[in-house]
Amino acid sequence: MDNEIYMKQCIEIAKQSEGIQEIPVGSLLTQNNIILAKSHNTSINKNDPTAHAEINVIREACIKINNYRINNSVLFTTLEPCLMCIAAICEARIDQVFFGAYANSELSIEEKFIYLKRNHNLDHTPKFIGGILQEECSLLIKNFFKNKRRQF
């Protein structure tokens, strides 16, 4: 499995959300090296604060495999998952998460996970690995917000 190949696909997926004025985050989910789902952020267009790229791929994959658990799966996403997405990743029993850019947050991914595990009784521990094509993934977000500021 080549993580960079999957992350490059996520970057292309993220560009789709940028084209519709969504924050450019792209994700895909694999199971046994087969892509089950691909998506990007759609929160603004769907008026749904939970429509993050990661949640979208989890929903789509669960429908595809007809199960709310996605065992033996790997999630790739261009941005470090937020608390909501981390919780969904745990509930779906996703084994590994590879992400590109680190979120500009006071808490690291490990601290977010520890907080959720300690305070919300999560019983699944995925492996989180960040920094895959970090520069390219970071530029997507930075350029999006730079262009947004120019519009005002």
Side-chain angles (χ1 to χ4, degrees):
M1 170 174 54
D2 187 349
N3 299 333
E4 288 189 7
I5 290 172
Y6 286 129
M7 192 60 69
K8 285 178 183 177
Q9 289 183 51
C10 289
I11 290 168
E12 292 307 310
I13 296 163
K15 290 176 183 177
Q16 295 172 19
S17 61
E18 186 177 26
I20 57 171
Q21 301 303 304
E22 295 277 358
I23 296 171
V25 177
S27 298
L28 65 81
L29 193 129
T30 67
Q31 187 179 52
N32 303 317
N33 290 321
I34 297 168
I35 297 173
L36 292 180
K38 300 178 184 182
S39 190
H40 54 82
N41 278 357
T42 57
S43 296
I44 296 167
N45 285 272
K46 289 185 175 181
N47 294 314
D48 179 356
T50 69
H52 289 192
E54 301 93 331
I55 301 291
N56 291 341
V57 296
I58 290 169
R59 285 178 177 149
E60 185 179 328
C62 287
I63 290 167
K64 190 170 190 173
I65 66 169
N66 196 33
N67 197 327
Y68 72 111
R69 302 286 194 223
I70 317 168
N71 296 315
N72 304 311
S73 62
V74 180
L75 177 73
F76 294 85
T77 189
T78 56
L79 181 63
E80 175 184 334
C82 69
L83 286 170
M84 173 185 69
C85 292
I86 293 169
I89 289 162
C90 292
E91 289 300 319
R93 302 299 193 263
I94 294 169
D95 294 321
Q96 292 183 307
V97 178
F98 292 94
F99 62 91
Y102 288 86
N104 189 10
S105 155
E106 292 181 18
L107 297 177
S108 69
I109 188 78
E110 294 83 10
E111 291 169 320
K112 289 177 192 175
F113 180 74
I114 289 167
Y115 168 81
L116 283 172
K117 189 145 180 107
R118 184 180 309 131
N119 295 298
H120 298 284
N121 199 27
L122 298 176
D123 59 359
H124 177 70
T125 304
K127 184 176 181 182
F128 293 94
I129 300 161
I132 311 296
L133 299 179
Q134 181 177 352
E135 184 68 26
E136 295 93 327
C137 293
S138 293
L139 278 175
L140 279 173
I141 302 287
K142 288 176 185 175
N143 289 337
F144 176 79
F145 284 109
K146 185 189 299 182
N147 291 335
K148 271 277 204 224
R149 285 190 294 276
R150 283 187 195 147
Q151 293 173 1
F152 295 107

Coordinates of all heavy atoms in Angstrom, one line a residue, residues 2-15 17 23-30 37-41 51-58 74-82 85-86 89 94 96-103 109 112 127-138 140-141:
D2 N 0.7 2.1 -0.9 CA 1.5 3.3 -1.0 C 0.7 4.5 -0.5 O -0.2 5.0 -1.2 CB 2.0 3.6 -2.5 CG 2.9 4.7 -2.6 OD1 3.1 5.5 -1.6 OD2 3.5 4.9 -3.6
N3 N 1.0 5.0 0.7 CA 0.2 6.0 1.3 C 0.2 7.3 0.5 O -0.8 8.0 0.5 CB 0.7 6.3 2.7 CG 0.6 5.0 3.6 OD1 -0.2 4.2 3.4 ND2 1.5 4.9 4.6
E4 N 1.3 7.6 -0.2 CA 1.3 8.8 -0.9 C 0.4 8.8 -2.1 O -0.2 9.8 -2.5 CB 2.8 9.2 -1.4 CG 3.6 9.6 -0.2 CD 5.0 10.2 -0.6 OE1 5.2 10.3 -1.8 OE2 5.8 10.4 0.3
I5 N 0.2 7.6 -2.7 CA -0.7 7.5 -3.9 C -2.1 7.8 -3.4 O -2.8 8.5 -4.1 CB -0.6 6.1 -4.5 CG1 0.8 6.0 -5.2 CG2 -1.7 5.8 -5.5 CD1 1.1 4.6 -5.8
Y6 N -2.5 7.2 -2.3 CA -3.8 7.5 -1.8 C -4.0 8.9 -1.4 O -5.0 9.6 -1.6 CB -4.2 6.6 -0.6 CG -4.4 5.1 -0.9 CD1 -3.8 4.1 -0.3 CD2 -5.4 4.8 -1.9 CE1 -4.0 2.8 -0.6 CE2 -5.7 3.5 -2.2 CZ -5.0 2.5 -1.6 OH -5.3 1.2 -1.9
M7 N -3.0 9.5 -0.8 CA -3.0 10.9 -0.4 C -3.1 11.8 -1.6 O -3.9 12.9 -1.5 CB -1.9 11.3 0.5 CG -2.1 12.6 1.2 SD -3.5 12.7 2.3 CE -3.0 11.6 3.6
K8 N -2.5 11.5 -2.7 CA -2.6 12.3 -3.9 C -4.0 12.3 -4.4 O -4.5 13.3 -4.9 CB -1.6 11.8 -4.9 CG -0.2 12.2 -4.7 CD 0.8 11.7 -5.7 CE 2.2 12.1 -5.3 NZ 3.2 11.5 -6.2
Q9 N -4.7 11.1 -4.3 CA -6.1 11.1 -4.7 C -6.9 11.9 -3.7 O -7.9 12.6 -4.2 CB -6.6 9.6 -4.6 CG -6.0 8.7 -5.7 CD -6.6 7.3 -5.6 OE1 -7.8 7.2 -5.6 NE2 -5.7 6.3 -5.7
C10 N -6.6 11.9 -2.5 CA -7.3 12.8 -1.5 C -7.2 14.3 -1.9 O -8.1 15.0 -1.7 CB -6.9 12.5 -0.1 SG -7.4 11.0 0.6
I11 N -6.0 14.7 -2.3 CA -5.8 16.0 -2.7 C -6.6 16.4 -3.9 O -7.3 17.5 -3.9 CB -4.3 16.3 -3.0 CG1 -3.5 16.2 -1.7 CG2 -4.0 17.6 -3.7 CD1 -2.0 16.1 -1.8
E12 N -6.7 15.5 -4.8 CA -7.6 15.8 -6.0 C -9.1 15.9 -5.6 O -9.8 16.7 -6.1 CB -7.4 14.7 -7.1 CG -6.0 14.8 -7.7 CD -5.7 16.2 -8.3 OE1 -6.5 16.8 -9.0 OE2 -4.6 16.7 -8.0
I13 N -9.5 15.0 -4.7 CA -10.8 15.0 -4.2 C -11.1 16.4 -3.4 O -12.1 17.0 -3.6 CB -11.1 13.8 -3.2 CG1 -11.0 12.5 -4.0 CG2 -12.4 13.9 -2.5 CD1 -10.8 11.3 -3.1
A14 N -10.1 16.8 -2.6 CA -10.2 18.1 -1.9 C -10.5 19.3 -2.8 O -11.2 20.2 -2.5 CB -9.0 18.3 -1.0
K15 N -9.8 19.2 -4.0 CA -10.0 20.3 -4.9 C -11.4 20.4 -5.4 O -11.9 21.5 -5.8 CB -9.0 20.1 -6.1 CG -7.6 20.3 -5.7 CD -6.6 20.0 -6.8 CE -5.2 20.2 -6.4 NZ -4.2 19.8 -7.5
S17 N -14.1 20.1 -3.5 CA -14.8 20.9 -2.5 C -14.4 22.4 -2.6 O -15.3 23.2 -2.4 CB -14.6 20.4 -1.1 OG -13.2 20.4 -0.7
I23 N -14.4 24.2 2.4 CA -13.0 24.0 2.9 C -12.5 22.8 2.2 O -13.1 21.7 2.3 CB -13.0 24.0 4.4 CG1 -13.5 25.3 5.0 CG2 -11.5 23.7 4.9 CD1 -13.6 25.3 6.5
P24 N -11.3 22.9 1.5 CA -10.8 21.8 0.7 C -10.2 20.7 1.5 O -9.0 20.7 1.8 CB -9.8 22.5 -0.2 CG -9.3 23.6 0.6 CD -10.5 24.1 1.4
V25 N -11.0 19.7 1.9 CA -10.5 18.5 2.6 C -11.1 17.3 1.8 O -12.3 17.3 1.5 CB -11.0 18.5 4.1 CG1 -10.6 17.1 4.7 CG2 -10.5 19.6 4.9
G26 N -10.2 16.4 1.5 CA -10.6 15.2 0.8 C -10.2 14.0 1.5 O -9.2 13.9 2.2
S27 N -11.1 13.0 1.4 CA -10.8 11.7 2.2 C -11.2 10.5 1.3 O -12.0 10.6 0.4 CB -11.7 11.6 3.4 OG -11.4 12.7 4.3
L28 N -10.6 9.4 1.6 CA -11.0 8.1 1.0 C -10.8 7.1 2.0 O -10.0 7.2 3.0 CB -10.3 7.8 -0.3 CG -8.8 7.6 -0.4 CD1 -8.4 6.2 0.0 CD2 -8.3 7.8 -1.8
L29 N -11.6 6.0 1.9 CA -11.5 4.9 2.9 C -11.3 3.6 2.1 O -12.0 3.3 1.1 CB -12.8 4.8 3.7 CG -12.7 3.9 4.9 CD1 -13.2 4.7 6.1 CD2 -13.5 2.7 4.7
T30 N -10.3 2.8 2.6 CA -10.0 1.5 2.0 C -10.3 0.4 2.9 O -10.2 0.6 4.1 CB -8.5 1.5 1.5 OG1 -7.7 1.5 2.6 CG2 -8.2 2.6 0.6
A37 N -14.9 4.2 -0.5 CA -15.6 5.5 -0.6 C -14.6 6.6 -0.8 O -13.5 6.6 -0.2 CB -16.4 5.7 0.6
K38 N -15.0 7.7 -1.4 CA -14.2 8.9 -1.6 C -15.2 10.1 -1.4 O -16.3 10.0 -1.8 CB -13.7 9.1 -3.0 CG -12.8 8.0 -3.5 CD -12.3 8.3 -4.9 CE -11.5 7.1 -5.5 NZ -11.1 7.4 -6.9
S39 N -14.7 11.1 -0.7 CA -15.6 12.3 -0.6 C -14.8 13.5 -0.1 O -13.6 13.4 0.2 CB -16.7 12.0 0.5 OG -17.6 13.1 0.5
H40 N -15.4 14.6 -0.2 CA -14.8 15.9 0.3 C -15.8 16.6 1.2 O -17.0 16.1 1.4 CB -14.5 16.8 -0.9 CG -15.6 17.0 -1.8 ND1 -16.6 18.0 -1.6 CD2 -16.0 16.4 -3.0 CE1 -17.4 18.0 -2.6 NE2 -17.1 17.0 -3.4
N41 N -15.4 17.7 1.8 CA -16.3 18.4 2.7 C -17.5 18.9 1.9 O -17.4 19.4 0.8 CB -15.6 19.7 3.3 CG -14.8 19.3 4.4 OD1 -14.7 18.2 4.9 ND2 -14.1 20.3 5.0
A51 N -21.1 17.1 7.9 CA -20.7 16.6 6.5 C -19.2 16.9 6.2 O -18.9 17.4 5.1 CB -21.6 17.2 5.5
H52 N -18.4 16.5 7.1 CA -16.9 16.6 6.9 C -16.6 15.4 5.9 O -17.3 14.4 5.9 CB -16.2 16.4 8.2 CG -16.3 17.6 9.1 ND1 -15.4 17.7 10.2 CD2 -17.1 18.7 9.1 CE1 -15.7 18.9 10.8 NE2 -16.8 19.4 10.2
A53 N -15.5 15.5 5.3 CA -15.0 14.5 4.3 C -15.0 13.1 4.9 O -15.4 12.1 4.4 CB -13.7 14.9 3.7
E54 N -14.4 13.1 6.2 CA -14.2 11.8 6.9 C -15.6 11.2 7.2 O -15.8 10.0 7.0 CB -13.5 12.0 8.2 CG -12.1 12.6 8.0 CD -12.0 14.1 8.1 OE1 -13.0 14.8 7.8 OE2 -10.9 14.6 8.4
I55 N -16.5 12.0 7.7 CA -17.9 11.4 8.0 C -18.6 11.0 6.7 O -19.2 9.9 6.7 CB -18.7 12.5 8.7 CG1 -18.0 13.0 10.0 CG2 -20.1 12.0 8.9 CD1 -18.0 12.0 11.1
N56 N -18.4 11.7 5.6 CA -19.0 11.4 4.4 C -18.5 10.0 3.9 O -19.3 9.2 3.4 CB -18.8 12.4 3.3 CG -19.5 13.7 3.6 OD1 -20.5 13.8 4.3 ND2 -19.0 14.8 3.0
V57 N -17.2 9.8 4.0 CA -16.7 8.5 3.5 C -17.1 7.3 4.4 O -17.4 6.2 4.0 CB -15.2 8.4 3.2 CG1 -14.8 9.4 2.1 CG2 -14.4 8.7 4.5
I58 N -17.2 7.6 5.7 CA -17.6 6.6 6.6 C -19.1 6.2 6.3 O -19.4 5.0 6.2 CB -17.5 7.0 8.1 CG1 -16.0 7.1 8.5 CG2 -18.2 6.1 9.1 CD1 -15.7 7.8 9.8
V74 N -8.7 1.5 6.4 CA -7.7 2.6 6.5 C -8.4 3.8 5.9 O -8.9 3.8 4.8 CB -6.4 2.3 5.8 CG1 -5.4 3.4 5.9 CG2 -5.8 1.0 6.3
L75 N -8.3 4.9 6.7 CA -8.8 6.2 6.2 C -7.7 7.1 5.9 O -6.7 7.2 6.6 CB -9.7 6.8 7.3 CG -10.2 8.2 7.0 CD1 -11.4 8.1 6.0 CD2 -10.7 8.9 8.3
F76 N -7.8 7.8 4.7 CA -6.8 8.8 4.3 C -7.5 10.1 4.2 O -8.6 10.1 3.7 CB -6.2 8.4 2.9 CG -5.4 7.1 2.9 CD1 -6.0 5.9 2.8 CD2 -4.0 7.2 3.1 CE1 -5.3 4.7 2.8 CE2 -3.3 6.0 3.1 CZ -3.9 4.8 3.0
T77 N -6.9 11.1 4.7 CA -7.6 12.4 4.7 C -6.5 13.5 4.6 O -5.4 13.4 5.2 CB -8.6 12.6 5.8 OG1 -9.3 13.8 5.7 CG2 -7.9 12.6 7.2
T78 N -6.8 14.6 4.0 CA -5.8 15.7 3.8 C -5.6 16.5 5.0 O -4.6 17.2 5.1 CB -6.2 16.6 2.6 OG1 -7.5 17.1 2.8 CG2 -6.2 15.9 1.3
L79 N -6.5 16.5 6.0 CA -6.3 17.3 7.2 C -6.6 16.4 8.4 O -7.4 15.6 8.4 CB -7.4 18.4 7.2 CG -7.4 19.4 8.3 CD1 -6.0 20.2 8.4 CD2 -8.5 20.4 8.2
E80 N -5.8 16.7 9.5 CA -5.9 16.0 10.7 C -7.4 16.0 11.2 O -8.0 17.1 11.2 CB -5.1 16.7 11.8 CG -5.2 16.2 13.2 CD -4.3 17.0 14.1 OE1 -3.3 17.7 13.7 OE2 -4.7 17.1 15.3
P81 N -8.0 14.9 11.5 CA -9.4 14.9 11.9 C -9.7 15.7 13.2 O -8.9 15.8 14.1 CB -9.6 13.4 12.2 CG -8.6 12.7 11.4 CD -7.4 13.6 11.5
C82 N -10.9 16.2 13.2 CA -11.4 16.9 14.4 C -11.9 15.9 15.4 O -12.0 14.7 15.1 CB -12.5 17.9 13.9 SG -14.0 17.1 13.4
C85 N -14.9 13.8 14.1 CA -14.4 12.7 13.1 C -13.6 11.6 13.8 O -13.8 10.5 13.5 CB -13.6 13.4 12.0 SG -14.6 14.4 10.9
I86 N -12.8 12.0 14.8 CA -12.1 11.0 15.6 C -13.1 10.0 16.2 O -12.9 8.8 16.2 CB -11.1 11.6 16.6 CG1 -10.0 12.4 15.9 CG2 -10.6 10.5 17.6 CD1 -9.2 13.2 16.9
I89 N -14.6 7.8 13.6 CA -13.5 6.8 13.2 C -13.5 5.6 14.2 O -13.4 4.5 13.8 CB -12.2 7.5 13.1 CG1 -12.2 8.4 11.8 CG2 -11.0 6.5 13.0 CD1 -11.1 9.5 11.8
I94 N -12.4 1.8 12.4 CA -11.3 2.0 11.4 C -10.0 1.8 12.1 O -9.7 2.3 13.2 CB -11.4 3.4 10.8 CG1 -12.7 3.5 10.0 CG2 -10.2 3.7 9.9 CD1 -13.1 4.9 9.5
Q96 N -6.6 2.3 10.9 CA -5.6 3.3 10.7 C -6.1 4.6 10.0 O -7.0 4.5 9.2 CB -4.4 2.8 9.9 CG -3.6 1.7 10.5 CD -2.4 1.3 9.6 OE1 -2.6 1.0 8.5 NE2 -1.2 1.3 10.2
V97 N -5.5 5.7 10.4 CA -5.8 7.0 9.8 C -4.5 7.6 9.4 O -3.6 7.9 10.2 CB -6.6 7.9 10.7 CG1 -6.9 9.2 10.0 CG2 -7.9 7.2 11.2
F98 N -4.4 7.9 8.1 CA -3.2 8.7 7.6 C -3.8 10.0 7.1 O -4.7 10.1 6.4 CB -2.6 7.9 6.3 CG -2.0 6.6 6.7 CD1 -2.7 5.5 6.6 CD2 -0.6 6.6 7.1 CE1 -2.1 4.2 6.9 CE2 0.0 5.4 7.4 CZ -0.7 4.2 7.3
F99 N -3.1 11.1 7.7 CA -3.6 12.4 7.3 C -2.4 13.3 6.8 O -1.2 12.9 7.1 CB -4.3 13.1 8.4 CG -3.6 13.3 9.7 CD1 -2.9 14.5 9.9 CD2 -3.5 12.4 10.7 CE1 -2.2 14.8 11.1 CE2 -2.8 12.6 11.9 CZ -2.2 13.8 12.1
G100 N -2.7 14.3 6.1 CA -1.7 15.2 5.5 C -1.3 16.3 6.4 O -0.3 16.2 7.2
A101 N -2.1 17.4 6.4 CA -1.8 18.6 7.2 C -2.2 18.4 8.6 O -3.2 17.8 8.9 CB -2.5 19.8 6.5
Y102 N -1.4 19.0 9.5 CA -1.8 19.1 10.9 C -2.7 20.2 11.1 O -2.5 21.3 10.5 CB -0.6 19.2 11.8 CG 0.3 17.9 11.8 CD1 1.2 17.7 10.9 CD2 0.0 17.0 12.8 CE1 2.0 16.5 10.9 CE2 0.8 15.8 12.9 CZ 1.7 15.6 11.9 OH 2.5 14.4 12.0
A103 N -3.8 20.1 11.9 CA -4.7 21.1 12.2 C -4.0 22.2 13.1 O -3.1 21.9 13.9 CB -5.9 20.6 12.9
I109 N -3.2 15.5 17.8 CA -4.1 14.4 17.5 C -4.1 13.4 18.6 O -5.1 12.9 19.0 CB -3.7 13.7 16.1 CG1 -4.8 12.7 15.7 CG2 -2.4 13.1 16.2 CD1 -6.0 13.2 15.2
K112 N -6.1 14.9 21.5 CA -7.6 14.8 21.2 C -8.1 13.4 21.4 O -9.2 13.2 22.0 CB -7.8 15.2 19.7 CG -7.6 16.6 19.3 CD -7.8 16.8 17.8 CE -7.4 18.1 17.3 NZ -7.5 18.2 15.9
K127 N -4.8 3.7 14.8 CA -3.4 4.3 14.7 C -3.5 5.5 13.8 O -4.0 5.5 12.7 CB -2.5 3.3 14.1 CG -1.0 3.7 14.1 CD -0.2 2.6 13.6 CE 1.3 3.0 13.6 NZ 2.2 1.9 13.0
F128 N -3.0 6.7 14.3 CA -3.0 7.9 13.6 C -1.6 8.2 13.1 O -0.7 8.2 14.0 CB -3.5 9.1 14.5 CG -5.0 8.9 14.8 CD1 -5.4 8.3 16.0 CD2 -6.0 9.4 14.0 CE1 -6.7 8.2 16.3 CE2 -7.3 9.3 14.3 CZ -7.7 8.7 15.5
I129 N -1.4 8.5 11.8 CA -0.1 8.8 11.3 C -0.3 10.1 10.4 O -1.0 10.1 9.4 CB 0.5 7.7 10.5 CG1 0.6 6.4 11.3 CG2 1.8 8.1 9.8 CD1 0.7 5.2 10.6
G130 N 0.4 11.2 10.8 CA 0.2 12.4 10.1 C 1.5 12.8 9.3 O 2.5 12.2 9.4
G131 N 1.3 13.8 8.5 CA 2.4 14.4 7.8 C 2.6 13.8 6.4 O 3.6 14.0 5.8
I132 N 1.6 13.0 5.9 CA 1.7 12.4 4.6 C 1.5 13.5 3.5 O 0.4 14.1 3.5 CB 0.7 11.2 4.4 CG1 0.8 10.3 5.5 CG2 1.0 10.6 3.0 CD1 2.1 9.5 5.7
L133 N 2.5 13.8 2.7 CA 2.4 15.0 1.8 C 1.9 16.2 2.5 O 1.0 16.9 2.0 CB 1.5 14.6 0.6 CG 1.9 13.4 -0.3 CD1 0.9 13.1 -1.4 CD2 3.3 13.6 -0.9
Q134 N 2.4 16.5 3.6 CA 2.0 17.6 4.5 C 2.0 18.9 3.8 O 1.1 19.7 3.9 CB 2.9 17.6 5.7 CG 2.5 18.7 6.7 CD 3.4 18.7 7.9 OE1 4.2 17.8 8.1 NE2 3.2 19.7 8.8
E135 N 3.1 19.2 3.0 CA 3.2 20.5 2.4 C 2.1 20.8 1.4 O 1.4 21.8 1.4 CB 4.6 20.6 1.7 CG 4.8 22.0 1.1 CD 5.0 23.1 2.1 OE1 5.4 22.8 3.2 OE2 4.7 24.3 1.7
E136 N 1.8 19.8 0.5 CA 0.7 19.9 -0.5 C -0.6 20.1 0.2 O -1.4 20.9 -0.2 CB 0.7 18.7 -1.4 CG 1.9 18.6 -2.3 CD 3.0 17.7 -1.7 OE1 3.2 17.6 -0.5 OE2 3.7 17.0 -2.5
C137 N -0.9 19.3 1.2 CA -2.1 19.3 1.9 C -2.3 20.7 2.7 O -3.4 21.2 2.6 CB -2.3 18.2 2.9 SG -2.3 16.5 2.1
S138 N -1.3 21.1 3.3 CA -1.3 22.4 4.0 C -1.6 23.6 3.0 O -2.4 24.5 3.3 CB 0.0 22.7 4.7 OG 0.2 21.8 5.8
L140 N -3.3 23.6 0.3 CA -4.7 23.6 -0.1 C -5.5 24.5 0.8 O -6.2 25.3 0.4 CB -5.3 22.2 -0.1 CG -5.1 21.2 -1.2 CD1 -5.6 19.9 -0.9 CD2 -5.7 21.8 -2.5
I141 N -5.3 24.2 2.1 CA -6.1 25.0 3.1 C -5.6 26.4 3.2 O -6.4 27.3 3.2 CB -5.9 24.3 4.5 CG1 -6.3 22.9 4.5 CG2 -6.6 25.1 5.6 CD1 -7.8 22.7 4.5

